[in-house]
Each structure stands twice: as C-alpha cells, then as structure tokens.
Amino acid sequence: MLFLLSFRGVGDNEPHILEDTTIEPVLKTFEDFYLKKDYPNALLTLQKDGGDLPVGVKHYNLGTVYAQMQHWPDARFHFLMAEKNGFNRPEVSQNLQIAEAKLEITKLEEPLSTTDYLVKYSALATNGIFTSLSLVILVVGLVALKKTAKPKLVWLFLPAVLLPLCLHFWIKSWPWAVVMKPSGLHDGPSAIFGSRGELPPGLLVLAKNKGDWKEIVYPIRYSGWVKANELKDLE
C-alpha cells in the first residue's frame, strides 16, 4: 500500500490521509513529521530516505510538503513530475491547480503568438489525443481492410496511424523545465550580454541547452538566455 496525502490549501485543518499504510520506517517517520507540521524534517526524510518509493508517489508527497511550506515553484515542479511519472490521481491535478493559482500561471503563460499556441496545444495533445487519434485511424483502417480485402490498403493507412504516435513521443521529449527562483534573462549565453528582464519563479518553459546556459523557446515573451542552474528540468 502507498502513503498518500492530500493538500487542501494553506490554513486548512490536518491533512487528509487518503490511504493508510503498512508503514515502512521511512514512511512512518515522514508521516509523524508531516502530521506534526514539521515540514522541514518531513521534506528531509523524503529526500534522504525516500529512494525506494515509487517515483510518482515520492514526487507527489514532495510537492505536498513544499505546498504546505508555500514554496510554490518547488510544489509545481514535483506535482508535474508526479504526473510525468504516471501518478495521475485526481489529487495530483487538484494540488497542481492550487500551486499554479498561487503562482498566477494563467497570466504568466498566456499565449501571445502563433508559436505559443502551437507549443501549448501540442503539449496538451500528448495527454491522450494523439494516441486516441491513432487508435481511431487503426480501427477505421481495419474495418476498411476487412470490407475490401485489399492488403495494399495497409500501406495507405499505416503511415496515418504512425504519424500521431511519432508526434506524441517527439513532443513528450521536448526539454521542459520549471524556473525555481527569479532569474535574470539575457540577450545571449553570457552575463556580458544585455539584460532582458527577469523570469518569474514557477514558470514552465521550453528551453534548449548550451553549456551552462539555456535558451528559452516558450513562452515567447520570455525568449532569451538564462543560467541553466536556475531551472529544474522535468526529466
């Protein structure tokens, strides 16, 4: 059994335990600290001794602790990592929305260009749309093949089946990262280049590596260069 906590927002009563445990020592220790609202030691327990937990569960609990500590960029990062690692419980989505609301992400990440819209909705399409499209095309193709009994039809619909799947895995491989603290944005990959303002903490960006720097591709309003160590990669 797994130990799961539900975050309900700062100021709520004791956290709700969704599922109790046959508790391993690390989880018991973590639970004790968490219920006492000793969040720094709860966090330290997970970071130091949580290596044997399922990755998605560990990130979910880390996100919950950071949220209780009001470290919203860290909370958002770990909830996103929980989803990325297959832990797709409703509680993850709910807590992620709370963190994003605190960070005012809707305003910060509002698309301003065609490129922004393409990137945003392509990423959203990887949440099952591409795979569903491939399945629909496959079913339609098999029905058509059965009715016509022409094996050559396979070569017509097979690329149509594979294209959405290839797009799905390609988009999933994009180098996403979360800004962990206010970070200076520059015109080039060095501090000698002029400043272009500052990246807000908690922002989800698409960024390309170049040594110790990353080039921000999305959102386009923040295009520029930032030190790589000021972002945390979703990988």
Side-chain angles (χ1 to χ4, degrees):
M1 299 180 69
L2 304 176
F3 182 70
L4 309 174
L5 295 171
S6 175
F7 171 67
R8 296 179 296 181
V10 175
D12 289 340
N13 295 325
E14 293 294 334
H16 174 55
I17 298 176
L18 298 175
E19 200 171 329
D20 207 348
T21 63
T22 40
I23 302 198
E24 301 173 17
V26 61
L27 294 179
K28 177 58 179 172
T29 303
F30 168 70
E31 181 186 26
D32 288 344
F33 284 132
Y34 189 93
L35 295 178
K36 292 174 183 176
K37 299 186 179 182
D38 185 352
Y39 301 126
N41 277 318
L43 184 64
L44 183 63
T45 300
L46 280 178
Q47 292 172 331
K48 182 180 177 182
D49 301 319
D52 293 332
L53 292 174
V55 176
V57 173
K58 180 179 177 181
H59 279 293
Y60 173 63
N61 283 302
L62 283 168
T64 302
V65 175
Y66 275 119
Q68 294 285 17
M69 296 171 71
Q70 301 188 52
H71 293 179
W72 300 113
D74 292 280
R76 188 188 192 197
F77 171 81
H78 286 290
F79 291 138
L80 288 170
M81 284 295 293
E83 291 185 336
K84 184 178 177 68
N85 285 277
F87 193 64
N88 294 314
R89 298 284 189 93
E91 293 81 10
V92 182
S93 178
Q94 173 190 330
N95 292 349
L96 177 59
Q97 289 175 16
I98 292 171
E100 290 176 345
K102 293 290 185 179
L103 292 163
E104 300 185 326
I105 289 304
T106 301
K107 179 176 70 175
L108 296 176
E109 296 179 5
E110 180 183 359
L112 294 182
S113 69
T114 302
T115 301
D116 277 351
Y117 280 104
L118 286 173
V119 171
K120 180 176 181 177
Y121 291 107
S122 294
L124 289 175
T126 61
N127 295 329
I129 297 175
F130 283 133
T131 50
S132 297
L133 180 60
S134 289
L135 181 59
V136 169
I137 295 172
L138 178 61
V139 171
V140 170
L142 290 174
V143 170
L145 181 62
K146 183 177 180 180
K147 288 183 177 180
T148 61
K150 293 181 179 179
K152 290 184 179 180
L153 280 176
V154 172
W155 300 107
L156 295 177
F157 75 81
L158 186 59
V161 172
L162 293 177
L163 179 60
L165 288 177
C166 291
L167 284 171
H168 172 86
F169 289 111
W170 175 59
I171 293 169
K172 280 288 190 183
S173 71
W174 287 356
W176 293 100
V178 175
V179 181
M180 302 312 295
K181 59 182 180 179
S183 305
L185 196 61
H186 298 267
D187 288 321
S190 170
I192 65 173
F193 287 93
S195 173
R196 301 197 60 174
E198 191 174 76
L199 286 177
L203 187 72
L204 180 66
V205 298
L206 189 58
K208 298 187 294 185
N209 286 317
K210 186 174 180 180
D212 295 332
W213 291 78
K214 286 180 181 285
E215 181 183 10
I216 306 299
V217 177
Y218 166 89
I220 198 167
R221 75 183 74 180
Y222 298 110
S223 59
W225 294 82
V226 64
K227 289 183 179 179
N229 62 5
E230 294 179 349
L231 308 181
K232 190 175 285 189
D233 294 332
L234 289 170
E235 60 179 15

